Amino acid sequence: MAKPREPRRPATIVDIARAAGVSKSTVSLVLKGSPQVKPETRERVERASAQLGYVYNRGAASLRTATSRFVGMIISDLMNPFFAELAVGIEEAIYKLGYVPILANTNEDRDRQAEVLKTMREYGVGGIIMSPARGTTAWTLAEFAAMPMVITMRRVEGSPLPYVGPDNRSGEREATAHLIGLGHRDIAYLGGYDTMTTMRERLDGYRDALLAAGLPYDPAMVFEAMPTRAGGREAVAAAFAGARRPTAFVTYNDIVAIGAAQWMSERGLVIGRDVSIVGFDNIAEAQHNAPPLTTVDGNTMALGAQAAEVLLARIEGRAIEPVEFYGPTRLVLRRSCGPAPSTLARITA
């Protein structure tokens, strides 16, 4: 029985150089189309390349040369519509600045995030814009601090890396003050965890507004949960199971607010009449919710563009001031808020 033929090894530039009688660097210049090579030498290299069946992978070669025209975008949760909109904003800004984005989703997994960072560093991306996975610390980012990198949306305490995000505290303060102005006094906070810097900043704004209005801040009115629809349902159920029944809610984000509103609607409450709720982020879905959701707009597209500009400055070695950039927010009024009811409708969880 004939012995199976060994698969042929792909030709390399070393093989071409040997066949053409030139150096590896000369072959590389020819493959890149450099005008520095004499026509007769180019012809000899191209003939040897064709005879050996060599295929030049220009994309792989660009990565091997660590071109700075590629920029990494590491997003923590693309299943969340907010982060998907953020990625679009960053991507558009990067293209306009003449760079090519490479997108990676970590799914809130810090181990996966570390692997993505290492891989992007190995392939020589020019810089990285990252929305960190939950629980990311300055220590876990320390080995990447020499890379041009910008953190967005979730501040990492103690990290020297530039940060770009919305003014969470001011935005939640305005949202809570709006509900107080409508006569609400029993206002609960839904979603997020105290381990998240974004949640703590937004909770500070909630507390600021209550104290400014002479109302007590009650930790028992804060209901932590995952920043998801399911988390919103879980948090609002816990709120209605407590001794103090809220008439209004401020929330960690729009997704939490939408989940909480669905839970209340399923139990017969009319959002905007029986109970009020405010989101945060102003994702596209908020406007089309039933009823449309009052929310805090952090201008995600503008923040994406700002993050891209800061990264470009880092890539070019320019000084950045300030290191932390907090974009302005504005309250978008829709139909999910109304005057405090004189009596809260009784519901069954």
Side-chain angles (χ1 to χ4, degrees), residues 75 81-91 131 152-153 300 303-304:
I75 304 299
F82 167 75
F83 286 111
E85 292 178 19
L86 172 66
V88 170
I90 295 173
E91 184 180 42
S131 169
T152 185
M153 298 304 159
T300 305
L303 287 175

Side-chain angles (χ1 to χ4, degrees), residues 232-233 236-237 240 258-267 347-349:
R233 297 175 68 89
V236 77
F240 276 103
I258 290 169
Q262 289 172 340
W263 186 93
M264 290 185 286
S265 295
E266 290 166 3
R267 285 153 181 81
I347 68 167
T348 301

Side-chain angles (χ1 to χ4, degrees), residues 5 42 77 110 152 177 186 188 221 235 237 246 255 261 294 312 336 343:
R5 179 179 297 176
R42 179 185 304 280
D77 181 12
R110 285 175 292 171
T152 185
D186 295 309
M221 291 289 276
I255 296 300
T294 293
L312 180 62
S336 67
T343 58

Side-chain angles (χ1 to χ4, degrees), residues 38-60:
K38 292 180 180 180
E40 57 269 25
T41 303
R42 179 185 304 280
E43 183 180 349
R44 195 161 71 248
V45 169
E46 289 176 345
R47 185 167 55 250
S49 176
Q51 290 172 347
L52 292 170
Y54 179 79
V55 178
Y56 179 47
N57 188 330
R58 189 173 301 276

Side-chain angles (χ1 to χ4, degrees), residues 176 179-180 182-189 206 210 215-216 218 221 223 239-240 243-250 274-277 340-344:
T176 308
L179 293 172
I180 294 171
L182 290 172
H184 295 277
R185 296 297 178 266
D186 295 309
I187 305 170
Y189 185 96
Y206 162 75
L210 292 174
L215 299 174
D218 183 0
M221 291 289 276
F223 299 89
F240 276 103
R244 185 179 171 191
R245 297 294 179 89
T247 63
F249 301 90
V250 289
D274 300 327
V275 67
S276 296
I277 192 164
S342 55
T343 58
L344 181 62

Side-chain angles (χ1 to χ4, degrees), residues 33-247:
S34 172
Q36 301 174 19
V37 183
K38 292 180 180 180
E40 57 269 25
T41 303
R42 179 185 304 280
E43 183 180 349
R44 195 161 71 248
V45 169
E46 289 176 345
R47 185 167 55 250
S49 176
Q51 290 172 347
L52 292 170
Y54 179 79
V55 178
Y56 179 47
N57 188 330
R58 189 173 301 276
S62 295
L63 288 173
R64 285 195 298 271
T65 56
T67 175
S68 64
R69 309 316 296 177
F70 290 93
V71 169
M73 292 167 45
I74 302 178
I75 304 299
S76 54
D77 181 12
L78 282 174
M79 292 296 290
N80 184 326
F82 167 75
F83 286 111
E85 292 178 19
L86 172 66
V88 170
I90 295 173
E91 184 180 42
E92 288 188 5
I94 288 173
Y95 270 125
K96 288 178 181 177
L97 292 173
Y99 288 79
V100 179
I102 301 174
L103 177 63
N105 175 41
T106 65
N107 198 30
E108 301 288 11
D109 186 327
R110 285 175 292 171
D111 291 335
R112 183 169 169 178
Q113 175 178 277
E115 287 302 314
V116 169
L117 280 166
K118 289 177 182 176
T119 301
M120 287 190 173
R121 180 175 61 187
E122 289 169 3
Y123 278 98
V125 295
I128 292 174
I129 297 176
M130 182 172 74
S131 169
R134 285 195 302 271
T136 298
T137 64
W139 181 82
T140 61
L141 296 180
E143 68 173 292
F144 306 101
M147 297 178 63
M149 190 185 304
V150 176
I151 301 298
T152 185
M153 298 304 159
R154 289 177 177 169
R155 188 169 52 84
V156 179
E157 293 178 325
S159 173
L161 295 170
Y163 169 78
V164 174
D167 189 338
N168 293 307
R169 187 168 187 166
S170 175
E172 206 74 282
R173 183 190 303 124
E174 185 179 8
T176 308
H178 175 65
L179 293 172
I180 294 171
L182 290 172
H184 295 277
R185 296 297 178 266
D186 295 309
I187 305 170
Y189 185 96
L190 304 179
Y193 289 107
D194 186 62
T195 54
M196 303 162 63
T197 55
T198 303
M199 191 271 199
R200 293 200 299 272
E201 291 167 2
R202 293 178 183 179
L203 190 62
D204 284 343
Y206 162 75
R207 183 189 296 109
D208 290 347
L210 292 174
L211 297 180
L215 299 174
Y217 167 72
D218 183 0
M221 291 289 276
V222 177
F223 299 89
E224 296 186 12
M226 288 288 289
T228 61
R229 287 178 178 82
R233 297 175 68 89
E234 174 190 325
V236 77
F240 276 103
R244 185 179 171 191
R245 297 294 179 89
T247 63

